[in-house]
Amino acid sequence: MAVVFDEKKALFTLYTKNSMYQMKKDDLGVLLHTYYGRKTENTDYSYLIYCKDRGFAANPYDAEKNRTYSTEILPQEYSCFGTGDYRTSALRIRGAGGCRVLDLRYENCEILEGKYTIPGMPAVYAQEGDSAKTLVVTLKDKAEDIFVHLYYGVMENLDMITRAVRIENRTAQPVYLEKAASMCLDQIYGSYDWMTFYGKHEMERQLSRTPVHHGLQSVGSVRGASSHHYNPFVILADHRTGETQGECYGFSLLYSGNFLAEAELDQANQTRVVMGIHPDNFDFELKAGDDFWTPEAAMVYSCGGFEKMSQIYHYAYRNNLCRGKYKKARRPVLMNNWEGTYFDFTGDKLVEMAKEAAALGVELFVMDDGWFGKRDDDFSGLGDWYVNEKKLGCTLGKLSERIHGLGLKFGIWFEPECVSEDSDLYREHPDWAFQIPGRKPVRGRYQLVLDFSRQDVRDHVFAQMCEVLDHAEIDYLKWDFNRNITDIFSAALPAHRQGEICHRYVLGLYDFLEKLINRYPNILLEGCSGGGGRFDAGMLYYSPQIWCSDDTDAIERLKIQYGTSFAYPISAVGSHVSASPNHQTGRKTPIATRATVAMAGTFGYELDPMKLSEEEKTEIREQIRVYKGYYDLIQDGKYYRITDPYRDEAFTVWEFAAEDGSEALVSAVSVKTYPNAAPVYVKLRGLLEDKFYVMNGERYLGAALMYGGFRLPAFRGEYQSWNFHFVLEK
Ligand code: GLA
């Protein structure tokens, strides 16, 4: 039973394979959070709650003389503002009279078969055989007809609980949402670390781990996209938790826009986590009778360290979030021309490159930025999605034919959300770009952002894209977004609704993507935003892979891909071999190492194959052959972070192990070299303890490799790499 409602005790308990989540309606009808953690049977955890008069605490009127009852100490299931809980709140609504006070009390509940969905927004879905249930707990403001429906998706087999909130205005007046978080979690006690993933363009998802301290700490984005700078995924971990042991909680927001993730340690050493749409510049009108859905948050509890948590996310996101043909179908090895040519190409040049690529074993050739409008640099052309036949020397249909004639699939790049001032689109519709009347717009990469909150704008761009896609054989589409939003003003909304734009923008983006994937179900979509500027679970609902970073330096990628792997599956991580010296860092690395690192993702190349030596070509042919052989193991196997690139200086090591333990691929890259170096040993994982494995003719017992370890080779010179393939002895 994934959801148990004990009416007598007013207790709701959610069970997944290994976790348990609990809340209780108290005598005043306040919904208290009692527990989230390891699964135990038949436990009412409200015994952990301790009430005491703490002084300066607010007591609800109906608590009467009980001065120990205060919502600022009691663990709240979904905290609201203005009635005594002074910690950060999940919900703040401005009523018609201007007052922001809410007092949410239990109204009713419903247990539904299957997993709820959210109209127009991404959500984890259940598949045949998944035992999924939905619990809806409805709270209502004590005075006004504001209803708050808390949705819990209990994905028992996946070991995941999802949450979303629907807020309903049944009053006769409009009300305004100022903050509407997707989740709130109060942990009664615990000594936690707060782990977040920060970064910048060309250096995304760097891990930060700090103790939760008194007061508020948060990460978020007000950039209109989830951003390179902070990822909408955070972890709350016990101080002692490591890769393979200890307790931790993952919180992943399925949302691609402004978000806020907060942690607060309060006066009683309780920890609150709140996550959802960023409240800054958010002011959403809810007319009488309307409702509002928050995005979904997916929570995972692990008592087996970060590794277990990540593997739960990987499996769930690969199987129960990604959709479409390429969720399961083999992703082609691609070659993208961006770092090979940048804007400087012709159709003939691309065909020449594609010919070489085909001879190397590449399966998909991608024409990146520069094929449309007037686009020979990044100062013009965005918004004019018609083929520059002069530059290509032929129609797109013809070019796709030529590429297909080489036995390759063909893909192209789009940046539908942006516009250059030097474009026909902008000249015709300047008000379609975000800008404020009377001010000059702020540029980013010398371009502006189109107001995708508007249906007419989206329809126009969609029609342009269809015109292109319908006249050529396109197998792959890279969807880019190369700046963040400023000048937030929509000509289509009245003054008092300008605070809705950023959320409406994301809804518009999702609406567009949904239409696109429905119309072109055979196209493989790769998300991108200047690399990994919108690498989030929301985008994975539409594009099963996302370009991980514009930094293609193999050594930098070790940390970027390490951070990315905490929440996101390998099959989502776009990763390419590029030229050396690397274009972003100038670092020189062997092509074998670049391939080893790129293989921990959806593999491809991003260089000019005409510039490769014969030796490199031979090596690439071999790399592609090897990658194809490991494909299933890499994409579907369990991923293990064997070393921590922030701590282990000599080597970065990771492993893919087949679910059934039949084989494992261990990849190692040397990042630092020492004289007279000490040997480095690693312990493998995910093997069958009592079985023997063979690697390079040597026999090893699974348990020995896991508990005794394995010595990495001695080496001279940095940036070498090794792939060790352990196969179960027959
Ligand atoms: C972004 C992408 C790159 C490339 C360029 C093209 O930066 O991340 O891969 O597509 O845009 O302008």
Side-chain angles (χ1 to χ4, degrees):
M1 277 296 275
V3 180
V4 177
F5 176 41
D6 181 333
E7 219 167 333
K8 237 167 70 210
K9 291 185 178 155
L11 194 70
F12 298 91
T13 310
L14 317 181
Y15 294 103
T16 69
K17 213 165 22 174
N18 297 299
S19 75
M20 172 174 165
Y21 186 99
Q22 198 179 66
M23 59 201 117
K24 187 183 177 100
K25 169 180 92 95
D26 73 9
D27 294 343
L28 300 189
V30 172
L31 191 63
L32 302 180
H33 175 78
T34 57
Y35 180 76
Y36 183 30
R38 203 178 179 125
K39 190 168 171 176
T40 62
E41 300 297 334
N42 302 322
T43 326
D44 174 354
Y45 276 107
S46 59
Y47 75 86
L48 292 172
I49 296 173
Y50 170 61
C51 287
K52 173 177 183 301
D53 180 358
R54 289 188 182 272
F56 278 85
N59 313 116
Y61 200 80
D62 41 2
E64 298 182 348
K65 287 189 176 153
N66 182 1
R67 299 205 330 201
T68 71
Y69 189 99
S70 172
T71 49
E72 83 176 271
I73 295 296
L74 288 165
Q76 302 294 307
E77 185 54 30
Y78 193 67
S79 65
C80 50
F81 179 79
T83 42
D85 185 355
Y86 296 101
R87 295 168 289 182
T88 192
S89 54
L91 184 65
R92 195 170 61 236
I93 299 181
R94 190 174 73 252
C99 151
R100 292 173 172 82
V101 169
L102 279 175
D103 188 352
L104 296 179
R105 303 295 174 99
Y106 178 84
E107 187 73 7
N108 56 45
C109 76
E110 219 181 337
I111 298 171
L112 307 167
E113 277 307 315
K115 161 76 174 46
Y116 66 88
T117 56
I118 307 180
M121 272 197 284
V124 169
Y125 57 87
Q127 306 198 81
E128 258 241 15
D130 287 339
S131 60
K133 288 232 162 49
T134 295
L135 168 68
V136 191
V137 181
T138 298
L139 311 176
K140 180 193 163 300
D141 178 53
K142 217 158 180 245
E144 300 284 345
D145 278 345
I146 305 281
F147 290 77
V148 176
H149 309 277
L150 307 178
Y151 281 75
Y152 298 83
V154 187
M155 311 296 286
E156 192 170 1
N157 297 343
L158 294 183
D159 224 358
M160 173 180 270
I161 295 174
T162 67
R163 296 177 64 173
V165 180
R166 186 165 69 85
I167 299 145
E168 215 191 335
N169 175 15
R170 290 197 211 154
T171 72
Q173 305 278 335
V175 299
Y176 297 86
L177 303 180
E178 295 185 341
K179 186 175 186 186
S182 301
M183 57 152 292
C184 169
L185 177 75
D186 278 354
Q187 291 291 71
I188 299 172
Y189 72 104
S191 179
Y192 294 111
D193 285 341
W194 172 239
M195 295 169 63
T196 59
F197 298 86
Y198 70 96
K200 54 189 167 189
H201 178 227
E202 298 182 342
M203 201 34 151
E204 299 88 339
R205 293 172 296 286
Q206 304 296 298
L207 175 60
S208 157
R209 180 175 186 168
T210 54
V212 176
H213 56 75
H214 282 103
L216 260 182
Q217 45 253 266
S218 69
V219 292
S221 165
V222 289
R223 293 172 166 267
S226 50
S227 90
H228 302 83
H229 306 80
Y230 298 103
N231 196 264
F233 174 68
V234 296
I235 302 169
L236 199 63
D238 184 276
H239 283 324
R240 291 158 294 235
T241 297
E243 204 44 57
T244 56
Q245 49 71 35
E247 292 191 291
C248 62
Y249 302 84
F251 306 101
S252 167
L253 193 67
L254 283 70
Y255 193 61
S256 310
N258 293 347
F259 77 94
L260 181 67
E262 303 169 276
E264 180 172 6
L265 187 63
D266 73 9
Q267 56 178 323
N269 293 338
Q270 309 181 101
T271 302
R272 168 170 292 179
V273 175
V274 171
M275 196 182 202
I277 293 176
H278 203 302
D280 276 13
N281 198 30
F282 175 76
D283 193 29
F284 208 99
E285 183 181 53
L286 212 52
K287 294 209 172 74
D290 277 4
D291 63 358
F292 177 93
W293 276 93
T294 71
E296 178 163 287
M299 310 191 300
V300 169
Y301 163 78
S302 157
C303 54
F306 305 125
E307 173 177 295
K308 186 91 210 346
M309 176 204 68
S310 295
Q311 288 176 354
I312 292 171
Y313 277 113
H314 291 182
Y315 184 88
Y317 283 175
R318 215 165 54 221
N319 295 289
N320 296 65
L321 178 61
C322 289
R323 298 178 294 167
K325 172 176 162 185
Y326 281 99
K327 167 174 139 177
K328 285 277 179 240
R330 212 180 163 94
R331 315 273 176 85
V333 174
L334 69 79
M335 179 171 288
N336 176 305
N337 74 309
W338 179 243
E339 285 198 20
T341 65
Y342 295 103
F343 291 106
D344 186 17
F345 60 85
T346 61
D348 285 342
K349 165 78 187 161
L350 296 180
V351 172
E352 246 179 36
M353 288 170 76
K355 218 178 264 170
E356 275 301 339
L360 296 171
V362 165
E363 298 160 309
L364 159 69
F365 188 81
V366 179
M367 174 169 68
D368 210 278
D369 193 355
W371 55 266
F372 52 90
K374 183 181 115 195
R375 184 76 171 168
D376 289 321
D377 53 39
D378 54 16
F379 287 96
S380 63
L382 290 177
D384 292 344
W385 301 108
Y386 46 81
V387 182
N388 184 344
E389 293 179 1
K390 206 162 141 227
K391 181 166 178 174
L392 298 187
C394 61
T395 63
L396 189 66
K398 184 74 203 157
L399 183 63
S400 72
E401 228 176 74
R402 290 174 76 190
I403 306 269
H404 280 105
L406 301 167
L408 292 171
K409 290 182 188 302
F410 181 50
I412 55 173
W413 179 97
F414 274 101
E415 191 178 354
E417 298 156 80
C418 285
V419 67
S420 308
E421 287 156 87
D422 185 0
S423 69
D424 293 345
L425 182 80
Y426 185 77
R427 279 182 285 272
E428 274 164 41
H429 301 286
D431 63 317
W432 283 10
F434 282 125
Q435 53 186 319
I436 298 167
R439 291 177 193 256
K440 291 284 176 215
V442 177
R443 295 173 176 134
R445 206 194 188 196
Y446 216 80
Q447 64 197 48
L448 308 181
V449 181
L450 289 172
D451 182 353
F452 257 40
S453 71
R454 289 175 60 166
Q455 178 87 42
D456 54 346
V457 176
R458 299 199 303 273
D459 286 350
H460 182 93
V461 180
F462 190 75
Q464 283 194 63
M465 285 179 77
C466 293
E467 187 60 25
V468 173
L469 297 172
D470 290 346
H471 291 95
E473 208 182 318
I474 305 296
D475 308 291
Y476 161 106
L477 193 156
K478 179 170 167 190
W479 179 298
D480 213 336
F481 181 48
N482 274 320
R483 60 158 293 180
N484 291 139
I485 304 177
T486 55
D487 302 287
I488 298 160
F489 171 80
S490 176
L493 285 175
H496 73 286
R497 292 181 56 197
Q498 295 292 317
E500 298 177 20
I501 298 170
C502 287
H503 181 56
R504 288 196 178 279
Y505 182 93
V506 179
L507 294 179
L509 168 69
Y510 290 156
D511 173 61
F512 197 122
L513 288 165
E514 187 71 31
K515 264 167 71 185
L516 190 71
I517 60 175
N518 285 332
R519 183 167 167 141
Y520 302 102
N522 291 322
I523 290 185
L524 168 59
L525 205 63
E526 175 151 354
C528 178
S529 172
R534 205 159 51 186
F535 202 116
D536 56 63
M539 285 308 284
L540 285 181
Y541 194 56
Y542 306 95
S543 61
Q545 64 192 55
I546 303 176
W547 180 226
C548 182
S549 176
D550 271 350
D551 186 353
T552 57
D553 178 317
I555 303 307
E556 300 293 299
R557 275 285 184 128
L558 293 173
K559 280 190 181 146
I560 297 172
Q561 293 178 189
Y562 171 82
T564 305
S565 77
F566 276 81
Y568 306 106
I570 294 303
S571 56
V573 178
S575 198
H576 302 165
V577 174
S578 61
S580 177
N582 178 266
H583 290 195
Q584 292 79 42
T585 61
R587 183 185 271 125
K588 291 184 184 162
T589 51
I591 196 160
T593 298
R594 280 174 268 150
T596 296
V597 175
M599 281 187 203
T602 55
F603 184 59
Y605 292 81
E606 181 152 343
L607 41 72
D608 184 352
M610 309 305 289
K611 295 188 180 141
L612 294 169
S613 67
E614 280 312 312
E615 216 182 351
E616 285 172 318
K617 285 185 198 166
T618 310
E619 208 166 331
I620 290 180
R621 267 192 289 274
E622 181 59 12
Q623 288 168 359
I624 294 177
R625 194 191 62 74
V626 166
Y627 175 73
K628 287 180 180 167
Y630 290 143
Y631 185 90
D632 293 334
L633 180 56
I634 292 175
Q635 303 299 323
D636 288 331
K638 283 190 169 169
Y639 178 75
Y640 295 88
R641 293 173 290 263
I642 300 291
T643 62
D644 171 350
Y646 292 91
R647 262 198 247 163
D648 302 302
E649 286 196 320
F651 280 96
T652 299
V653 185
W654 61 96
E655 177 191 337
F656 302 97
E659 284 276 348
D660 62 0
S662 59
E663 57 173 332
L665 177 67
V666 178
S667 300
V669 174
S670 64
V671 280
K672 211 162 171 193
T673 177
Y674 305 91
N676 197 6
V680 177
Y681 297 87
V682 289
K683 291 177 178 169
L684 308 193
R685 301 214 274 279
L687 304 178
L688 303 175
E689 295 188 2
D690 55 349
K691 293 282 188 305
F692 279 90
Y693 289 81
V694 179
M695 197 274 295
N696 281 345
E698 298 284 332
R699 270 178 104 229
Y700 302 86
L701 182 67
L705 289 169
M706 291 200 291
Y707 310 127
F710 172 71
R711 185 179 60 76
L712 297 175
F715 68 96
R716 283 170 65 78
E718 281 148 337
Y719 314 143
Q720 310 297 307
S721 74
W722 296 263
N723 286 302
F724 307 104
H725 188 210
F726 294 87
V727 182
L728 202 65
E729 192 177 54
K730 296 247 160 45

